[in-house]
Amino acid sequence: ASIKFESEEYEFGTIQQGDIVEHTYEFTNTGEIPLIIENASASCGCTVPDWPKEPIAPGEKGKINVKFDSKGKSGVQNKQVTIRANTNPNFTKVMLKGTVNTPEGGPTAQPLN
C-alpha cells in the first residue's frame, strides 16, 4: 500500500488562545493493496487525530481529521501527526502550523493608597 496526501502541511494562520482548529487531510491509496492505517498520533495531547479504521482500497480516498486545542498555548505552533500504516516506509507525517495570540492584558493592578 502507498499513501499520498493532497497536502502534508496545513497553515491555520493566527488564532486567539483557546480557539480550536480542525483540519481534514485527504489522501489516496496509490498502492496496489488495501491501505490499513494502524495508528495516528500527535506530538502533543492538544492535537487529536481521527483516522479511518477500515482498509482503504487501492485508488480510493480517505480522510484524517485533526483537531488542535490552543488552550494554554501561545506563539508559533508546529504540531506533527505521525501516521503508521502498512506502507513503505511505515510512517508518514503531516503538519499543522500557525500562531496563537495570548489575551491582551489580564487583571489590571490597582494603585496602593
Side-chain angles (χ1 to χ4, degrees):
S2 182
I3 191 168
K4 172 78 173 131
F5 283 90
E6 288 185 16
S7 174
E8 294 180 4
E9 188 174 298
Y10 175 67
E11 172 70 47
F12 60 78
T14 301
I15 61 171
Q16 296 303 310
Q17 189 178 65
D19 288 353
I20 294 176
V21 173
E22 292 188 52
H23 181 68
T24 301
Y25 294 90
E26 295 188 12
F27 63 87
T28 303
N29 176 1
T30 57
E32 297 180 8
I33 63 171
L35 170 67
I36 299 168
I37 297 176
E38 298 166 11
N39 191 25
S41 58
S43 52
C44 146
C46 60
T47 307
V48 180
D50 181 33
W51 66 94
K53 309 304 188 269
E54 69 283 346
I56 307 296
E60 294 294 311
K61 293 184 179 295
K63 297 177 181 179
I64 295 176
N65 298 309
V66 177
K67 186 184 292 188
F68 166 65
D69 185 347
S70 69
K71 182 179 178 183
K73 303 292 179 194
S74 64
V76 174
Q77 303 293 311
N78 292 304
K79 302 303 175 188
Q80 179 175 286
V81 176
T82 302
I83 296 104
R84 187 176 77 216
N86 63 333
T87 55
N88 187 9
N90 291 108
F91 296 97
T92 305
K93 295 176 175 30
V94 294
M95 295 290 294
L96 190 68
K97 297 180 175 185
T99 303
V100 177
N101 279 343
T102 53
E104 291 294 321
T108 54
Q110 298 297 319
L112 296 174
N113 293 356

